[in-house]
Amino acid sequence: QVQLVESGGGLVQAGGSLRLSCAASGRTFSALGMGWFRQAPGKEREFVAAISRSGAHTHYTDPVKGRFTISRDNAKNTVDLQMNSLRPEDTAVYYCAARTALVGEYDYWGQGTQVTVSS
């Protein structure tokens, strides 16, 4: 079992920045692929970013490319999402997720953290 706890959400003006962090426990962190997802009101949850077990490979959804950066620290068992140039459409609950397989579905999810971007 893996426990994931997000932190760092909040209210920010458009153009501002936030850094989300996710702390993992319960399993060897370096054996987990990690990702960030978000869900806006009235919308389905969507993929935001992912990072490989070693951190060597990252992947982003197009709307956040060039603005968001995912990173991980395998010594601290954390994965972060640095969000710059935030837009009102980035407003959502952001979820940290982990998977044991190299590809495919994520097995474990955090409780989510709210990000609100005001215009």
Side-chain angles (χ1 to χ4, degrees), residues 3 11 58 69 93 118:
Q3 292 77 43
L11 173 64
T58 58
T69 302
V93 177
S118 63

Side-chain angles (χ1 to χ4, degrees), residues 14 38-41 43 46 63-64 67-68 85-92 94 115-119:
R38 66 186 180 186
Q39 186 168 20
K43 295 186 177 181
E46 64 175 357
V64 310
R67 301 189 297 123
F68 292 11
S85 301
L86 283 161
R87 305 167 180 169
E89 54 264 40
D90 295 318
T91 295
Y94 282 71
V115 171
T116 303
V117 184
S118 63
S119 57

Side-chain angles (χ1 to χ4, degrees), residues 8 12 15 17 19 21 23-25 29-30 37 50 56 60 62 80 82 90 93 98 105 113 117:
V12 65
S17 299
R19 188 176 185 89
S21 187
S25 61
F29 185 66
S30 59
F37 291 73
Y60 300 90
D62 284 347
D80 291 350
Q82 177 67 42
D90 295 318
V93 177
E105 297 295 319
T113 185
V117 184

Side-chain angles (χ1 to χ4, degrees), residues 15-98:
S17 299
L18 280 175
R19 188 176 185 89
L20 306 183
S21 187
C22 173
S25 61
R27 193 155 182 164
T28 302
F29 185 66
S30 59
L32 299 171
M34 301 298 297
W36 285 95
F37 291 73
R38 66 186 180 186
Q39 186 168 20
K43 295 186 177 181
E44 293 188 354
R45 186 167 59 192
E46 64 175 357
F47 168 79
V48 176
I51 189 166
S52 63
R53 296 171 177 179
S54 68
H57 303 286
T58 58
H59 179 60
Y60 300 90
T61 187
D62 284 347
V64 310
K65 284 181 179 177
R67 301 189 297 123
F68 292 11
T69 302
I70 188 171
S71 61
R72 67 187 295 161
D73 187 332
N74 284 351
K76 296 182 178 179
N77 292 357
T78 58
V79 58
D80 291 350
L81 185 68
Q82 177 67 42
M83 305 185 294
N84 299 327
S85 301
L86 283 161
R87 305 167 180 169
E89 54 264 40
D90 295 318
T91 295
V93 177
Y94 282 71
Y95 297 90
C96 174

